[in-house]
Amino acid sequence: MGTYGGDEVAALVLSVGHTWTQAGYAGEDTPKSIFPTSVGWVDTPPEADKGDDADNSEDTQMQDVSQQQGANNDSNNIHKKDADGGDVAAQPMGAGAVPSKKKKTLRGKYYVGDGEISCWKPDMEIKSPIKDGLVEDWDALEQIWDHAFLKRLRCDPTEHPLIITESAWNTREIREKLTELAFEKYNFPAFFVAKDAVMTAFAAGRPHALVVDSGGDMTSVVPVYDGYVLRKGIMRQSLGGDVLSEQALQQFQSNNVDVVPQYLVAKKSPVEVGQKPIVTLRDRAATASFHKMMQMRVIHDYKESVCQVSESTYNEQNINARPQKPYELPDGYNNNFGTDRFKIPEIMFNPKEFLKNPTSEQENFVGLPKLIFNSAQSCDVDFRPTLFSNVVLTGGNTLFPGFADRLHWELNSIPHSYKVKLHAPGNTVERKCGSWLGGSIMASLGTFHQLWISRKEYDETGPSIVNKKCV
Amino acid sequence: MATGNDVREIFQLKPSEQVRRVHKPEKKPEGISRELYGLIGNNVSTVAFNNPLYKPKLNVSKKAVNWTWRPFVNPSRDDDLVLHHWEKTRTDPNEEYRFYKFNKAINLIEFSAEDYKAHLQDSDWTLEETNYLWDLCRRFDLRWTVIQDRYEWPPQEQDRMALQFYNGNNLTRPSITNKTEEASEPATAIQPSSTVTVQPSSTTAPSGTDGAAMDIITETSSSLATPSLATQDTPTQEITGNADSSATTMGSVVAATEMAATEAAAAKVPAAEVPAAEIPTAAATTTSAVAAPEVTSAVTAPEVTTEAPVPSTSLPTSVSTSAPTSSSATTVTAAASITTAEKATTTPMEIVSFTPAKTRSMEVLKNRYYTINRILTKVRLSDASQAVERAQLLSSLSYDKNREMERKKNLEILNTRTPEQIEEEEALYLEARRIDQNEKKIARERENLLRLLSTRDIYGPGGPASAGLAGQVAGGGGPGSGIIISNNSITIPSSGPSGDNGASRPMSPSVGKNASGAAMAGGTSAQTGPVKKRKKAPKGSVQAEETASNQTKGSHNRRPSNASSVNDGPSNGLPPGVQVKKEKLTPGAYLRSQKMTPVVSTKLQRVHATLSHLGLPLKPSMPTATVMSKWDQLSSNIVTLLDIKKQVDKLESDLKVVKMRRGSASGVGLFPASGGGSGGASSADGNYGVKREGTADDSGVPGQVKKKKKKE
C-alpha cells in the first residue's frame, strides 16, 4: 500500500465535460458511472406549477414570463430565460451561485442520464450545460451533480472529499461557484479543483506534457510544466466532434439522405444499397433540440463505425483505392462509404479545405498540428523539446482509426528539429476518461491530502480560496 | 588454518566437546551391484524432484490482519481537516502521518526592506516587485517556466490574494472579486501602456484614460512589503466594470495609498476620482449587477471613512458587475497604476507611474534572482572563515543573462531550420569532414616523404640546400609534418682518431670527446672519459663544429650525442620541430656486428640487388669500424633510395590518373600538360609540389650513393 505512495480516503472524482460526465471513486481505474452531460427538461405548465407552490407570488409571475418565452421551442430562447432568471435570482442570493427555486419551476422536471434523455418525451428540451469548457447553465449542472452523487454513486456527500476537473481556461467566477456549490449545497468535507490537462498528463504518467484534448465541443492544446498549466501556451478552438457530426449530417443531406433517428422509426424493411428506405414513421412530435440530439446520436455511431483518418496527407487517389465500408441508418437506408468516410475526420487536420459552409468563426480554424505547434512555440525554447516528446492525446474525438498515426506524421512534417513522441493510450476508456483517471490517481496519493480545501478553510475565506489553493 | 580448537588452545580452554560428525559413506554391501545399490540404498537422489505447486489452501487457522477505517490528521495542513483511511489495526493510531515527511519547502534567501535599501537597489525594480518575484519563486518552488508564465506586475487581484495567503497573513473574507481577465485567452491579453501620472494637486488624471470600463483598486502600496500593513490591505476596494465584448478596453487604476491619517487627503484623490471614471462603465455594462455585501463593508473600512466615504461607497453597489464573460470576447486590460509614495510624511503623493501589467522574460527574472542571491551571500558571508563556503555558493549562483539570451536565440534558430537548411548543413558537414580526412591523409603522406628526404639530408653533401628544403617544407607543411632525423649510422663510438678520411669527415677533438661522453653514458665504451669534461665540451664543440662545418657543410648535422644535439639544436640549421633521433645504445657487452643497422627483411632482397648492381659484395670484406660505418650509411641510403623511388612511382602514377581524369573531364584540361618527368612537373596543389621537390632531390641520391661507393 505504501509502496506506491497511495493513501485512499474514499474521495469522489467528478469530471464534467461537454459531452460526457464521469463520476467515480478515487483509486479506481475506470469511472463508476459515465453518462451524457446533456440534460433534458420539460417546461411545467403554469397551472400545475401553481398547485405546487402557489404561496409564492413571485414565482407565478416568473412562470408567466417563461410561458411566453417557451411558446416557441427555440433553443436560443433558453439563453434569454437564463439571463432573466439570473437577474432575478442574483439579488437575494448574493453571488447567484446558489440556484433559486424559481428556475426549477421554470424548467419543471429534469431528465439526466442516458436512459432518461434518449427516451422520447414530447416537449423535452435537451442541452449541455457546458460550453467551451465553461459552465453556462448552473441549474443543469446541479442536476448533473445530483444525478452523479445521489443516483449513480449513491453516496453521502458529507462523507467523501470531492475532486473535480475543470478546463485550463476556466474563469475565477466559475471555480468559486463550483466551490460554493460543493460546500454549501452538498456539504463535502473537502474539495479540490484540478485542471483537466494536468490530470491527463498525470494519467499518462508525465509531469511535463503537451496535452491535446479533442472533445465534442472543442479542441485544446495545453502545455503542462511539472503539474502546472502554462497559461500563455493554451490554444483552443471550437472544432470538435460536434462540428464533425454536423458536417457528416450535411454530407448526408447533400446526397438527399434524410437522417431519421431511431425514435421516429416504427417499422422498416430491408432495401438494396443506396435505395430509398421503406420505412413507417411514428408520429412523434419532439423539440428541435431533442431531434437534433437523436440525429447526432446516429451520426456519432456512423462516425464511430465507418470514419477513418488517412495515415498520411490526404490523397484522393489513395483514398479511392481504400475499401468501402457499409453502414445502415436506422430507417434502413444503407450504402457503402468510400471517400466520404475519410473526409469527415480530415477536417481536424485541414479545416480550410474540408470544412463545408463554414461560419465566420469556423473560417479561422487551423489544423490540429498547427495548433499544437503554435502552443509549443509559445513556450520557452528550452522547454519545447520536452513538450514535443510528451504529446499526450486524449478526448473521444481522437479515437478515429489512424488519428494518432496521422498526427505524428503531420507533426513531423512541420519543419522543426524536435523529436516528436506521441502518447496515445490504446485503451478507449483511458483515452476518453484521461482527466478523470488522473484525478483518480492524484486523489488517492498520500501526499495530495494536504492540498484539499477543507470546510474550515472555506468558512474562513469564502469561495475565493479556490483561487489560492488550486493554481 | 586456525580452527575453533586452536583458539581454545591459545586461551587455554578445554577443547570443545562438540563431537565431530564425520559423514561416513555407507559401505556398499557385498553381492549387490553398484547400480542396484544406487537405486535402493539411502543415497541422495541424483535427480531433483520438483514438487508440483498447487494454489495454496486458505489458511483458516491463521487470523486475518485487521484493518480499521480510522480518522487521521495531516500535520502538513494548517487546519485540522480530518480524513479517514484504512489502517492496520495494530498500527499506532497516534503515529505521525506517513506522508508528512514529503512536505518540503524550498529555502529562499530572505531579505528585509533595509537589506533592499542597502544593497539591492536596481533602477528597473522596486521593492514591491522584487517581493512579488520572491513570492512567485516560493509558490512555484523556483520553477522558472511557471514563474515566467504567471508573472504579471502589478499582480492581478487573484495573485495578490494568493500572495497574502502564501505570505501567511490571516485573511479576512475578501471583498468581491470581479475580474474577467482570466476568461480571456491569455495569449490575446495584450496590454497597451497607458501610463497615467497624477500630480499631487491635479486630480484629473484617471479620467484621462479612455472612457471605457475602469478598474480601480485602492490599496496600500506596502502591502507586500510589510505584513502589518498587509492586513490593512485586505479590505480592498475593487470596482470592476465589465465591458461588453465590443468595448474591450479596461483601464485599471491601482492607486496605492498609505492609510495614514495625514495622508487621508491624499487617499481621497483616487476615491474622489471614482465617479467620473465610473459613469461610462455603468453605461457600458450589459450584464447583471451582482453586488456583494462585502463590497460595502470593504469600502467603509475605517481608514477611508474619515474623508471619502460617500463617493466611494455609493459606487460599488451601482457599478460592480459579475458575470462570466463570453469567452469569445477578448478582454484587453490596460492597467494604469498609480502608486503613492509610502513615506508616512505629510508631503503629498509622490507619484510613480507604472506601465500596465508587464511581463518579464525568464532571463530577466532569473538574473534578478541570482543577482540578489549573490549580493546577499557576499554580504552575509563576509567573514574570512567562510571564504570557501562563500566561493562555492557564489559559483553555484552565477548567472550570465546575456549569454543565456544568446543561447536561447541560437537555440531558436537551430530549431526552426527548414528541411532544406538541415540538408544543406549536413552536406556541408560531410564535405568538411572529407576535407579534414584528406588533410590528414595528405599530411601523413607528406610526413613520410619528408622523413625519407631528411634522412638523406644528414649525409647529403648539399647540406644547406636540403636544410633549406626541410625548413621550407616544415614551415609550409601541415600539422604533424615533423621531421625526424635518424642518425643511426654514426653511432659507432669513434672516439679515437677516426680513420683516414678526415677530410671528408673531420672529427675535431671536441667532437670526439663529446661522442665518447655519449658513448660512456651508455656504458658501452671501455674508455673512461671524464664526465666533468663532457659538461664542458659543448662550447668547444660548437666552435669546433663551426670550423668543421666550413669544411664540410653536412657534417654539423651529425650530432651523435644527446648533449651536443641539445646544445646546438638551434644553431645547427634544423628547423624547429625537427626531432633528432637519439642514438640507440646497446647496454652491456656487444658485438660490433650488432651495431649494423639491420635492413628490413622485406627490403633485403632489393638492397642486395642494388648492392650487386653496384658491384659490391653482400658483406664488406674488411669490416673495420670505418668501413662498417660507411657500409651502414650505404645500406640505409639504399633503403631510402628504394623508398623514395617507390614514392616517386606512386606519385607519378597518381599524377597520371589525375591528369587523365582532368583531361577527360574538361577536354583540353585546365592545366597545361607538364612534362611527365620527375623534375619539371608543375602540379596543381601542394601535394604535388612536395613531390616535385622530392623527385628533384632524388636525382642527387644515386650520385651520392655512387660517391660513397667510390669512397669505399
Side-chain angles (χ1 to χ4, degrees), chain A residues 7-9 94 170 172-173 226 229-232 380 382 384 417-418 449-450 452 454 457 461, chain B residues 77 79 84-85 97 103 139 143 148-150 158 171 174 179 182 186 290 327 407-408 412 415:
Chain A
D7 187 18
E8 307 281 0
V9 295
N170 205 9
R172 302 189 319 141
E173 289 77 20
D226 214 5
V229 163
L230 296 184
R231 290 182 195 159
K232 283 167 188 158
D380 190 63
D382 283 341
R384 277 177 222 160
S417 51
Y418 305 108
H449 300 317
Q450 67 187 73
W452 293 107
S454 69
E457 282 170 326
T461 314
Chain B
R77 298 185 62 93
D79 60 352
H84 294 72
H85 62 179
Y97 186 51
N103 184 25
R139 266 172 81 188
R143 291 178 181 92
Q148 200 269 331
D149 186 63
R150 306 290 162 95
Q158 173 193 345
L171 282 179
K179 295 283 271 189
E182 265 203 27
V290 184
S327 61
R407 183 180 69 80
K408 286 199 175 169
E412 184 98 32
N415 287 330

Side-chain angles (χ1 to χ4, degrees), chain B residues 215-371:
Chain B
D215 173 20
I216 300 185
I217 304 159
T218 310
E219 63 160 359
T220 57
S221 66
S222 56
S223 62
L224 299 171
T226 49
S228 62
L229 283 175
T231 47
Q232 289 183 356
D233 181 42
T234 45
T236 304
Q237 295 169 296
E238 189 188 333
I239 303 145
T240 309
N242 183 8
D244 66 357
S245 55
S246 60
T248 54
T249 316
M250 181 186 288
S252 86
V253 180
V254 180
T257 61
E258 177 121 46
M259 294 301 189
T262 50
E263 279 204 353
K268 190 183 162 190
V269 174
E273 206 43 56
V274 168
E278 282 306 312
I279 291 162
T281 314
T285 50
T286 54
T287 46
S288 57
V290 184
E294 290 94 82
V295 172
T296 39
S297 68
V299 172
T300 55
E303 287 84 359
V304 194
T305 45
T306 51
E307 291 293 336
V310 181
S312 56
T313 45
S314 64
L315 279 161
T317 45
S318 64
V319 171
S320 295
T321 59
S322 166
T325 53
S326 54
S327 61
S328 60
T330 53
T331 314
V332 184
T333 312
S337 58
I338 307 163
T339 317
T340 59
E342 51 177 306
K343 294 162 197 151
T345 57
T346 50
T347 50
M349 291 192 298
E350 182 189 315
I351 302 301
V352 184
S353 59
F354 277 111
T355 49
K358 67 176 169 190
T359 57
R360 288 177 186 266
S361 76
M362 195 192 288
E363 288 76 39
V364 174
L365 296 176
K366 270 181 160 178
N367 189 41
R368 179 69 176 154
Y369 174 80
Y370 285 113
T371 311

Side-chain angles (χ1 to χ4, degrees), chain B residues 310-623:
Chain B
V310 181
S312 56
T313 45
S314 64
L315 279 161
T317 45
S318 64
V319 171
S320 295
T321 59
S322 166
T325 53
S326 54
S327 61
S328 60
T330 53
T331 314
V332 184
T333 312
S337 58
I338 307 163
T339 317
T340 59
E342 51 177 306
K343 294 162 197 151
T345 57
T346 50
T347 50
M349 291 192 298
E350 182 189 315
I351 302 301
V352 184
S353 59
F354 277 111
T355 49
K358 67 176 169 190
T359 57
R360 288 177 186 266
S361 76
M362 195 192 288
E363 288 76 39
V364 174
L365 296 176
K366 270 181 160 178
N367 189 41
R368 179 69 176 154
Y369 174 80
Y370 285 113
T371 311
I372 288 180
N373 268 289
R374 277 199 304 272
I375 292 172
L376 289 180
T377 308
K378 271 182 202 160
V379 170
R380 290 180 189 172
L381 297 179
S382 50
D383 290 355
S385 59
Q386 293 163 313
V388 177
E389 195 189 339
R390 188 175 68 163
Q392 275 179 351
L393 259 176
L394 284 180
S395 70
S396 71
L397 290 171
S398 64
Y399 184 81
D400 187 347
K401 187 177 88 177
N402 293 328
R403 205 183 128 192
E404 229 9 53
M405 286 167 93
E406 185 71 17
R407 183 180 69 80
K408 286 199 175 169
K409 212 172 78 193
N410 289 335
L411 204 56
E412 184 98 32
I413 295 167
L414 187 72
N415 287 330
T416 49
R417 291 173 302 172
T418 60
E420 292 80 42
Q421 282 170 327
I422 292 173
E423 216 167 81
E424 191 189 336
E425 202 167 288
E426 272 172 7
L428 282 175
Y429 176 70
L430 279 180
E431 183 71 20
R433 261 192 68 177
R434 206 174 57 76
I435 290 171
D436 196 40
Q437 274 178 348
N438 273 359
E439 187 90 14
K440 268 183 199 157
K441 208 175 110 196
I442 290 166
R444 206 165 45 235
E445 279 176 5
R446 183 176 297 179
E447 195 181 314
N448 285 337
L449 205 60
L450 285 174
R451 195 177 296 145
L452 287 175
L453 297 177
S454 53
T455 316
R456 188 193 59 80
D457 288 345
I458 292 167
Y459 316 110
S466 59
L469 162 74
Q472 187 187 337
V473 171
S481 62
I483 298 165
I484 297 165
I485 295 173
S486 65
N487 42 9
N488 277 344
S489 53
I490 38 173
T491 53
I492 299 160
S494 55
S495 59
S498 56
D500 46 356
N501 49 1
S504 69
R505 197 173 154 236
M507 275 290 199
S508 68
S510 62
V511 170
K513 265 161 195 158
N514 202 6
S516 76
M520 206 203 67
T524 53
S525 165
Q527 285 183 355
T528 55
V531 183
K532 276 178 192 171
K533 211 175 181 182
R534 188 181 136 218
K535 278 184 182 170
K536 274 186 187 172
K539 273 180 190 171
S541 76
V542 170
Q543 289 164 354
E545 258 162 308
E546 274 165 6
T547 54
S549 64
N550 288 335
Q551 299 170 1
T552 310
K553 278 165 183 169
S555 69
H556 71 279
N557 275 338
R558 300 185 208 160
R559 291 283 73 82
S561 74
N562 43 9
S564 67
S565 72
V566 164
N567 273 291
D568 44 24
S571 67
N572 65 358
L574 281 179
V578 174
Q579 297 171 354
V580 176
K581 215 181 213 176
K582 302 273 162 27
E583 178 194 0
K584 208 171 118 191
L585 295 171
T586 319
Y590 64 99
L591 296 171
R592 268 195 188 163
S593 62
Q594 281 177 1
K595 279 283 177 183
M596 285 174 68
T597 317
V599 178
V600 189
S601 60
T602 50
K603 290 169 183 165
L604 201 61
Q605 205 77 43
R606 299 189 62 191
V607 170
H608 286 176
T610 317
L611 284 174
S612 62
H613 180 73
L614 293 170
L616 289 173
L618 296 183
K619 289 218 165 110
S621 49
M622 182 70 80

Side-chain angles (χ1 to χ4, degrees), chain B residues 104-252:
Chain B
K104 300 280 182 217
I106 59 158
N107 283 323
L108 275 185
I109 197 161
E110 296 294 338
F111 58 87
S112 62
E114 290 82 49
D115 283 341
Y116 188 86
K117 269 181 193 152
H119 309 292
L120 307 173
Q121 303 275 11
D122 190 313
S123 61
D124 197 27
W125 290 79
T126 59
L127 174 60
E128 289 78 29
E129 198 176 351
T130 311
N131 275 319
Y132 173 65
L133 171 66
W134 237 244
D135 286 315
L136 282 183
C137 288
R138 199 173 292 120
R139 266 172 81 188
F140 297 116
D141 296 329
L142 286 179
R143 291 178 181 92
W144 287 106
T145 313
V146 185
I147 292 170
Q148 200 269 331
D149 186 63
R150 306 290 162 95
Y151 194 91
E152 251 174 10
W153 179 259
Q156 294 188 358
E157 179 65 8
Q158 173 193 345
D159 289 335
R160 257 204 305 279
M161 294 202 303
L163 287 180
Q164 287 162 18
F165 183 83
Y166 278 87
N167 283 344
N169 292 330
N170 282 330
L171 282 179
T172 56
R173 207 174 167 91
S175 57
I176 184 166
T177 52
N178 301 328
K179 295 283 271 189
T180 53
E181 282 88 338
E182 265 203 27
S184 69
E185 210 165 302
T188 60
I190 313 149
Q191 285 115 7
S193 65
S194 61
T195 312
V196 183
T197 313
V198 179
Q199 294 302 322
S201 55
S202 76
T203 56
T204 54
S207 58
T209 56
D210 302 336
M214 302 297 291
D215 173 20
I216 300 185
I217 304 159
T218 310
E219 63 160 359
T220 57
S221 66
S222 56
S223 62
L224 299 171
T226 49
S228 62
L229 283 175
T231 47
Q232 289 183 356
D233 181 42
T234 45
T236 304
Q237 295 169 296
E238 189 188 333
I239 303 145
T240 309
N242 183 8
D244 66 357
S245 55
S246 60
T248 54
T249 316
M250 181 186 288
S252 86

